[in-house]
Amino acid sequence: MPLHAEQFFTSVLPHQLDGSVIGEAFYAQVPDQGIRLRIDFYETIHQHTYGGLRLSAIHPDQGQLDAVTLSFADHGTFRARDLRTGTRPGTSGYATIRDFPHDEEHRPWQGGDFTTLADAVHRYARIWGIPAPAGRKAPRATAPAPAASRVRGSAARAR
């Protein structure tokens, strides 16, 4: 598996959910209700290039109830990596990961900070009733303050 999904969802992304990795997706379930949360990578318009995570709430009888995408760019996941490499917004490779089928040792998500993204995953899961496992500390309730924008010296605004 070029994306190394099992390692990503069980070791790298601190999502604090009980579940299983099947193929390239992570599944968690609401106790006693049957609603499942599916988390997988979403592909950009470029083949083998992923821009974030897709979360879907799935009911066993009604199918998909809701879906949302959480982009790496919006959550600052690869901000440090892209600054270090000089990759700018709007250019190829910015805030994305690529899988390389020919390179089994390559971990495309290396160098990412997944804390804010994991907080968003946890908040979405809680909306659908998927609790954090007992004994685990819940993530912070609010997202960190937005970083200052470098565009025309203005500060970024919270949404």
Side-chain angles (χ1 to χ4, degrees), residues 15 17 26 28 30 35-40 53-59 63-70 75 116-132 139-141:
H15 55 71
L17 301 172
F26 176 85
V30 176
I35 295 175
R36 292 173 183 84
L37 174 66
R38 176 189 166 126
I39 306 171
D40 60 349
L53 300 177
R54 177 182 32 241
L55 287 68
S56 303
I58 304 167
H59 188 275
Q64 182 172 298
L65 301 174
D66 188 56
V68 65
T69 56
L70 303 175
H75 292 87
T116 305
L117 184 66
D119 288 348
V121 168
H122 187 69
R123 285 192 309 269
Y124 184 82
R126 282 189 14 215
I127 289 170
W128 293 100
I130 300 173
R140 64 180 177 265

Side-chain angles (χ1 to χ4, degrees), residues 7-158:
Q7 183 181 11
F8 178 80
F9 289 118
T10 59
S11 302
V12 177
L13 181 69
H15 55 71
Q16 303 179 0
L17 301 172
D18 279 333
S20 300
V21 176
I22 301 170
E24 300 256 338
F26 176 85
Y27 292 88
Q29 185 170 343
V30 176
D32 304 326
Q33 291 186 16
I35 295 175
R36 292 173 183 84
L37 174 66
R38 176 189 166 126
I39 306 171
D40 60 349
F41 295 97
Y42 79 82
E43 196 165 13
T44 66
I45 61 171
H46 302 285
Q47 186 176 19
H48 303 294
T49 302
Y50 302 88
L53 300 177
R54 177 182 32 241
L55 287 68
S56 303
I58 304 167
H59 188 275
D61 298 325
Q62 299 171 0
Q64 182 172 298
L65 301 174
D66 188 56
V68 65
T69 56
L70 303 175
S71 76
F72 296 138
D74 288 347
H75 292 87
T77 305
F78 295 106
R79 182 177 294 133
R81 178 200 69 185
D82 291 343
L83 284 172
R84 187 179 65 252
T85 62
T87 307
R88 304 264 183 227
T91 62
S92 178
Y94 176 76
T96 61
I97 60 173
R98 296 196 61 196
D99 66 353
F100 298 96
H102 61 277
D103 186 359
E104 228 5 75
E105 294 302 312
H106 179 74
R107 302 297 188 263
W109 29 258
Q110 287 177 329
D113 177 1
F114 297 94
T115 308
T116 305
L117 184 66
D119 288 348
V121 168
H122 187 69
R123 285 192 309 269
Y124 184 82
R126 282 189 14 215
I127 289 170
W128 293 100
I130 300 173
R136 287 198 188 166
K137 184 178 168 187
R140 64 180 177 265
T142 59
S149 173
R150 293 178 184 236
V151 178
R152 290 185 227 132
S154 63
R157 293 185 297 192

